[in-house]
Amino acid sequence: MELDKPQHILAIGGHAGDMDLTAGAVIAKYVQAGHKATFLHLTPGEKGHPKLSPDDYAKQKIEEAHRFAEIVGADVRFLAYKDAELPVDEEVKYQVADVIREVKPTLLITHWKGSMHKDHANTHYIVEDARFYAALKTIERALPNHYSGPLYYADNWEDPYDFQPEVFVDIPEEAYDTWVKAMNVYAYARGETSGFPFIEYYKALTVVRGAPAGFKRAQAFMVPRGALNKRVQFL
């Protein structure tokens, strides 16, 4: 990949907050280097609040996602699916493919398939087919085809089964500080829904992933089988 040319990350998650925490530091670094980024959330992730109704929490999560994206300098999109009800069908695959054709990313980030959460695993399979559909000239849609470039799987604690970190991206201080600030806009990340310390976990994970690679901090990614023989680390 030629990093002297403008690049565009499209990070596709099952819920608002998934890609924000797992790839947000890289996205902040990417944007600060003069590139572009877009988050595509397939659902708000609205069914996990102990007190708010799903409708009320969906509104909150959408607002939080927009605030996160604003802080890191990214765009944000949503599809109209519900938390825990994300299907794997041709309709959603083509909707994601249409976004790929519109945004024209140079690389994609999404979930690894080995997840304890069905929406994460479903997102993995949706994105793999959508990427293929978006690239094919013979699939006629409103917009022309677009090949999105390499695919990366984010390092999510809920997607741990057979996840093998293979690409380690150094996180400089400015990007790290921006990402930490942005994470704090999410109530769930602050531990206010489940009590899980998401922010502290992902901050610590950058140290764990960075140390073996010789970095102070890093975010790690897995790639499709054989892809390491064909790609250059994107930042």
Side-chain angles (χ1 to χ4, degrees), residues 6-24:
Q7 306 296 322
H8 194 151
I9 292 176
L10 177 58
I12 305 173
H15 315 102
D18 288 336
M19 293 295 112
D20 311 56
L21 271 60
T22 58

Side-chain angles (χ1 to χ4, degrees), residues 13-17 20 38-46 58-66 76-81 95 99 186:
H15 315 102
D20 311 56
T38 300
F39 291 100
L40 174 60
H41 307 305
L42 304 190
T43 84
E46 73 278 9
K59 293 176 184 176
Q60 180 176 314
K61 287 290 296 288
I62 291 168
E63 291 174 359
E64 291 168 342
H66 281 278
V76 63
R77 307 280 190 92
F78 278 87
L79 294 189
Y81 293 95
Q95 287 174 344
V99 173
Y186 277 110

Side-chain angles (χ1 to χ4, degrees), residues 19-28 109 155 165 167-171 179 183 202-203 205-207 209-210 215 217-221 233-234:
M19 293 295 112
D20 311 56
L21 271 60
T22 58
V26 167
I27 286 172
I109 302 174
D155 190 5
V167 175
F168 301 85
V169 182
D170 179 35
I171 306 300
W179 171 63
M183 283 195 293
Y202 283 105
K203 286 167 60 178
L205 188 60
T206 63
V207 177
R209 294 309 191 197
F215 299 139
R217 299 186 183 94
Q219 286 190 311
F221 300 86
Q233 183 173 317
F234 55 92

Side-chain angles (χ1 to χ4, degrees), residues 3 42 161 176-177:
L3 292 176
L42 304 190
Y161 306 121
Y176 177 79
D177 291 343

Side-chain angles (χ1 to χ4, degrees), residues 173-187:
E173 291 296 323
E174 183 180 1
Y176 177 79
D177 291 343
T178 300
W179 171 63
V180 171
K181 177 182 178 182
M183 283 195 293
N184 274 279
V185 307
Y186 277 110

Side-chain angles (χ1 to χ4, degrees), residues 23 29 35 50 53 69 79 85 94 130 138 145 154 161 169 171 175 201 227:
K29 173 181 177 175
H35 303 293
S53 70
L79 294 189
E85 300 179 39
Y94 278 112
T138 49
N145 69 299
Y161 306 121
V169 182
I171 306 300
Y201 176 88

